[in-house]
Amino acid sequence: MGGEAHNSSGLPPFILTGLPGMETSQHWLFLLLGVLYTVSIVGNALILFIIKEEESLHQPMYYFLSLLSGNDLGVSFSTLPTVLGVFCFHLREISFNSCMSQMFFIHLFSFMESGILLAMSFDRYVAICNPLRYSTVLTDARVMWMGVCVFLRSFCMIFPLPFLLKRLPFCKANVLSHAYCLHPDLIRLPCGDTSINNIFGLSIVISTFGLDSALIFLSYVLILRSVLAIASREERMKTLNTCVSHLCAVLIFYVPKVGVSMFARYGRHAPHYVHTLLSLIYLFVPPMLNPVIYSIKTKEIRRRLCKILLGNKF
C-alpha cells in the first residue's frame, strides 16, 4: 500500500484513529463522549419537542432555533457510528464510500450551522432595529425559504468534494487522524495533484464561514448602534438580553473552529492528540451546549422543560 497507487475503486479501507499515545485512556474518553452525545441528542430533541408543543413558541426566532437543534442532531448522528466503533469496539476500518458519505454529512451540517446562525442574527437585527416590520419581514413562508436556502447553499458547496477526492490516486498509508472522516484529513493522503481540491476547499470556506461571520459581526454592530440609541438603561439591557443566547451559540461555534485552524497552522510540533482533542471540541461542544444555553436563557423553554422533568407538576 505504501508505494503503489490506487484509485477509489480499488482502494483499501481507511484506518480511523482514536487518541494516539492515550490508548489506555480511550475507554474513559468514550464515557465522556457518551455523556456529550446523550446531552446533545436528548437536549436537542427536547428543544424540538417543546417548540412543536408550545404554541407561544411558534414564531420566527424559535423556528430558527428548531433548525439549529435539528442540525445539531445531524452533527451528532453523523459522527456517532465511527466514534462508537473506534472508542468502544476498536473497529477502525472504514470503506472509501462510507468515509466519503460521512465526510459529506459532517461538513454539510457544519456549513448549515453557519448559515442558520447567520439567519438567526438577521432575525435579531430585524426584531431590534425594525420591530414594527418584524411580523411582515419574517413571515412563516420567508423563514421556510431561508431554511431551504441554507440547505441548498451548503449542499451545493459540499457536493463536489467526494468527487474531487475520488478522481485522485492514493498511494500513501490510508491512516486518518481522527475517529471520523474530515476533508482536511483526507486531502493529505492522495499522491496526485491536489491543488484543485485545495483551492476549491479554501474558496468554499471563505464564501461560507468567512462571509457568514462577517455578516453576523455587521448585524451586531447595527444592533449595538440601535440599542445605544435607547434612552433607558433598563430597556437597553433588556433588549441586549434577547441576543445573549445567539451570541453564545455564535461564539461556541466559531471560536473552536478558529482555534482548530490556527493550531493546525502554528501548532504542528504539539502532540498529535492535542489536534484530535481540539477537533473533538469543535464537533462535540456546540451541539451539547446549544440546548443548554437556550434552556437556561429562554423562559418559555425553561418552564416547559421543568414541567416535563417534574411530570407536569411544576
Side-chain angles (χ1 to χ4, degrees), residues 91-117:
L91 301 174
R92 301 184 182 278
E93 289 190 355
I94 183 171
S95 69
F96 183 89
N97 288 329
S98 297
C99 192
M100 292 299 104
S101 298
Q102 185 182 51
M103 178 201 72
F104 174 82
F105 284 109
I106 289 175
H107 289 297
L108 173 70
F109 290 123
S110 181
F111 278 52
M112 283 183 63
E113 183 132 353
S114 180
I116 293 168
L117 290 172

Side-chain angles (χ1 to χ4, degrees), residues 125-138:
Y125 165 76
V126 176
I128 293 171
C129 299
N130 295 284
L132 297 179
R133 298 183 58 198
Y134 184 77
S135 58
T136 56
V137 172
L138 286 171

Side-chain angles (χ1 to χ4, degrees), residues 76-179:
S76 296
F77 283 120
S78 62
T79 59
L80 180 60
T82 53
V83 169
L84 184 69
V86 169
F87 288 104
C88 189
F89 302 108
H90 304 289
L91 301 174
R92 301 184 182 278
E93 289 190 355
I94 183 171
S95 69
F96 183 89
N97 288 329
S98 297
C99 192
M100 292 299 104
S101 298
Q102 185 182 51
M103 178 201 72
F104 174 82
F105 284 109
I106 289 175
H107 289 297
L108 173 70
F109 290 123
S110 181
F111 278 52
M112 283 183 63
E113 183 132 353
S114 180
I116 293 168
L117 290 172
L118 174 60
M120 295 173 82
S121 72
F122 178 70
D123 168 82
R124 291 298 82 208
Y125 165 76
V126 176
I128 293 171
C129 299
N130 295 284
L132 297 179
R133 298 183 58 198
Y134 184 77
S135 58
T136 56
V137 172
L138 286 171
T139 61
D140 289 353
R142 283 211 178 104
V143 170
M144 182 189 72
W145 276 111
M146 287 172 74
V148 171
C149 289
V150 167
F151 169 76
L152 289 176
R153 184 193 71 162
S154 303
F155 181 87
C156 292
M157 292 288 187
I158 300 301
F159 186 72
L161 288 182
F163 299 99
L164 289 174
L165 279 170
K166 207 166 186 176
R167 69 185 179 85
L168 295 170
F170 287 76
C171 58
K172 299 178 183 178
N174 298 315
V175 179
L176 301 177
S177 303
H178 307 287

Side-chain angles (χ1 to χ4, degrees), residues 225-246:
R225 188 181 68 173
S226 180
V227 168
L228 291 175
I230 300 173
S232 168
R233 182 179 183 276
E234 184 179 344
E235 284 299 315
R236 287 201 299 268
M237 297 306 296
K238 185 178 178 181
T239 302
L240 284 175
N241 193 50
T242 64
C243 300
V244 170
S245 298
H246 178 254

Side-chain angles (χ1 to χ4, degrees), residues 106-107 109-114 117 158 182-184 201-202 204-206 208-210 212-213 249-265 278-286:
I106 289 175
H107 289 297
F109 290 123
S110 181
F111 278 52
M112 283 183 63
E113 183 132 353
S114 180
L117 290 172
I158 300 301
L182 296 175
H183 183 262
L202 179 62
I204 62 175
V205 166
I206 292 172
T208 51
F209 296 127
D212 291 352
S213 58
V250 169
L251 290 174
I252 64 174
F253 177 74
Y254 281 106
V255 170
K257 181 164 187 63
V258 171
V260 169
S261 301
M262 295 296 289
F263 203 83
R265 186 175 181 84
L278 285 173
S279 176
L280 287 172
I281 290 170
Y282 165 63
L283 284 175
F284 282 82
V285 170

